[in-house]
C-alpha cells in the first residue's frame, strides 16, 4: 500500500465528485455526509467507466405504513451513482450494486490529512 496526495478536501463537495488516475488506478472521489469515499472507476457489468460523467443523486426510499399505504421520500445523502453506459446504480460508500448483490466495486480509503488535503491509500 502507498499513500498519495489527491487535492484540497474543499475541492470535493457533496454532489460534485472528481475522477483521478494514479498509475494503473482510476477512481472517483465522493463526499457523503461529511466523509470521503473513493470508488474504482470500473463497472462490473461490462467494464464501463463507472465514475466518468456519472451523476451523484438522491436516493428515493419507500416504506409501507401500518395502513398499507406506500410512502416515498427522498434521501439527502447523495450516495448513489449510475453508470453512464447502462445506468446501473451503486452506493459510493460501499461499492455495492443496488440490483445485483454479487456485484461490488472496489473501494479505497481516502481521508483528509492535518492540512485538510485528501490522501488515498492504493495497492502497490
Ligand atoms: S457497463 Fe456499467 S451499467 Fe453496463
Amino acid at each position: 500500500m502507498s499513500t498519495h496526495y489527491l487535492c484540497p478536501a474543499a475541492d470535493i463537495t457533496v454532489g460534485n465528485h472528481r475522477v483521478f488516475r494514479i498509475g494503473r488506478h482510476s477512481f472517483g472521489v465522493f463526499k457523503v455526509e461529511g466523509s470521503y469515499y473513493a470508488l474504482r472507476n470500473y463497472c462490473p457489468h461490462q467494464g464501463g467507466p463507472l465514475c466518468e460523467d456519472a451523476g451523484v443523486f438522491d436516493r428515493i426510499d419507500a416504506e409501507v405504513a401500518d395502513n398499507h399505504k406506500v410512502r416515498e421520500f427522498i434521501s439527502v445523502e447523495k450516495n448513489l451513482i449510475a453508470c453512464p453506459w447502462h445506468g446501473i446504480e451503486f452506493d459510493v460508500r460501499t461499492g455495492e450494486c443496488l440490483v445485483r448483490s454479487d456485484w461490488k466495486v472496489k473501494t479505497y480509503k481516502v481521508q483528509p490529512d492535518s492540512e485538510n488535503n485528501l490522501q488515498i491509500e492504493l495497492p502497490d
Side-chain angles (χ1 to χ4, degrees):
M1 285 290 214
S2 54
T3 302
H4 303 268
Y5 164 80
L6 294 177
C7 65
D11 286 5
I12 309 292
T13 58
V14 175
N16 294 297
H17 71 286
R18 283 183 57 185
V19 176
F20 295 86
R21 285 175 185 77
I22 297 176
R24 62 185 168 89
H25 302 285
S26 177
F27 52 88
V29 175
F30 304 82
K31 185 176 185 183
V32 179
E33 293 187 329
S35 296
Y36 297 90
Y37 300 91
L39 191 67
R40 185 179 181 205
N41 188 23
Y42 181 85
C43 180
H45 177 223
Q46 292 183 354
L50 180 58
C51 304
E52 305 276 357
D53 300 323
V56 180
F57 54 92
D58 299 325
R59 183 181 70 229
I60 296 177
D61 285 331
E63 65 182 14
V64 180
D66 290 341
N67 61 5
H68 304 287
K69 289 189 176 181
V70 175
R71 182 179 82 93
E72 291 184 341
F73 54 95
I74 296 175
S75 161
V76 295
E77 296 175 352
K78 292 192 181 296
N79 62 319
L80 300 179
I81 61 167
C83 178
W85 281 11
H86 308 104
I88 294 177
E89 299 167 353
F90 296 85
D91 188 324
V92 302
R93 301 168 302 180
T94 62
E96 292 173 352
C97 178
L98 269 59
V99 295
R100 290 277 306 258
S101 60
D102 57 330
W103 286 354
K104 188 166 182 180
V105 179
K106 172 86 177 139
T107 59
Y108 306 97
K109 183 177 179 183
V110 59
Q111 59 187 14
D113 63 13
S114 60
E115 297 179 359
N116 218 22
N117 293 312
L118 292 181
Q119 308 275 343
I120 190 167
E121 289 184 20
L122 296 172
D124 294 326

